[in-house]
Amino acid sequence: MAIDLRFTGLPRVRSFGDQVRILRKRRMWSQEELAQRAEVSAPAIVRLERGNARVATLQAALDVLAPKARPRKSEIARWGKGTRDVRFTPPEIWERIVHVLGRVDLDPCGDLASPVGARKTFTELDDGLTQRWFGRAYVNPPYSMAMKFTRKAYESFAAGHCSAVMLLLPNSVLHTQAFHEFGYGKADVFILQDRIRFLSANVQYKAPFGNSVVLYGADDLMIKRTLEVFPCVHLQKAASLGLGRPLHLRLSR
């Protein structure tokens, strides 16, 4: 029986077989050792890593490899024909991003079908959250993991691994506690006026939500260029909320 479930807390690859294989190899276990620890047969682990096994086998393996993993709700979007986590940056937005950053060294949330043309791309199989980021990065993350990628962006910039990181995020993250910790006061935030027409299955669909560009390491030229190409409200990095200081907003167009 093929397994069609989704879990949180697992490597971001396309199949449970790949997830189990990655987790097993991280622990340097053989298939036989995993089978012994999970109290299932070795052939059952072989079938699981090939993508065809009983749900009970998957659960037994995950209890050993990733005890904190939990099933999550379906990510099917209520718009277009794609999923919430699979919506590509459209070409016209990519052109604006290149205009702002000048070059894009890394796309840690890449896909072979995406028009994003960074010099280096990490796909789901690479698991961008576990990789070292570098240079100027552009991040259009899976929105179910938006804050994990935002935290990674902040940490990569703060550690000096990245000179600049631009994220395209849904506005829903802007009022989260995590964004108050890793976003405000650490990045320039540009709340976009227009809704983006994301690309899915070679067709563009207007998102039913607003988006923001979040830019770590922005210099004056990057800010100027962002305001030139994106109708938006700019919440400056220097603005401090809740500290008795004024909130600085700038409008483009």
Side-chain angles (χ1 to χ4, degrees), residues 19-69:
Q19 290 171 331
V20 169
R21 186 181 303 108
I22 289 171
L23 291 170
R24 175 177 62 78
K25 289 185 175 181
R26 284 178 182 174
R27 294 175 180 264
M28 295 183 289
W29 292 348
S30 66
Q31 291 177 326
E32 291 75 14
E33 186 171 1
L34 173 58
Q36 183 179 10
R37 292 173 180 268
E39 298 182 350
V40 299
S41 68
I45 296 298
V46 173
R47 290 194 297 271
L48 177 58
E49 293 192 0
R50 289 177 178 173
N52 194 353
R54 298 172 55 209
V55 173
T57 303
L58 172 65
Q59 188 62 65
L62 292 182
D63 284 345
V64 174
L65 293 170
K68 294 184 179 180

Side-chain angles (χ1 to χ4, degrees), residues 107-166:
D107 175 7
C109 304
D111 191 286
L112 297 179
S114 171
V116 172
R119 297 182 180 184
K120 174 69 175 179
T121 298
F122 296 142
T123 67
E124 277 190 314
L125 293 174
D126 301 309
D127 189 3
L129 286 173
T130 66
Q131 304 289 337
R132 178 166 174 163
W133 294 9
F134 58 89
R136 296 188 179 189
Y138 167 66
V139 188
N140 177 16
Y143 284 175
S144 66
M145 303 179 70
M147 286 316 307
K148 289 185 179 180
F149 276 92
T150 302
R151 177 172 184 168
K152 176 76 172 184
Y154 164 68
E155 292 175 345
S156 297
F157 172 71
H161 300 156
C162 289
S163 57
V165 185
M166 175 187 284

Side-chain angles (χ1 to χ4, degrees), residues 69-95:
R70 295 291 183 272
R72 74 184 183 194
K73 295 180 180 179
S74 172
E75 298 295 342
I76 298 300
R78 298 183 182 274
W79 58 283
K81 295 183 180 179
T83 66
R84 179 180 176 221
D85 277 356
V86 182
R87 22 130 218 94
F88 302 141
T89 303
E92 63 272 15
I93 298 297
W94 171 241
E95 291 176 1

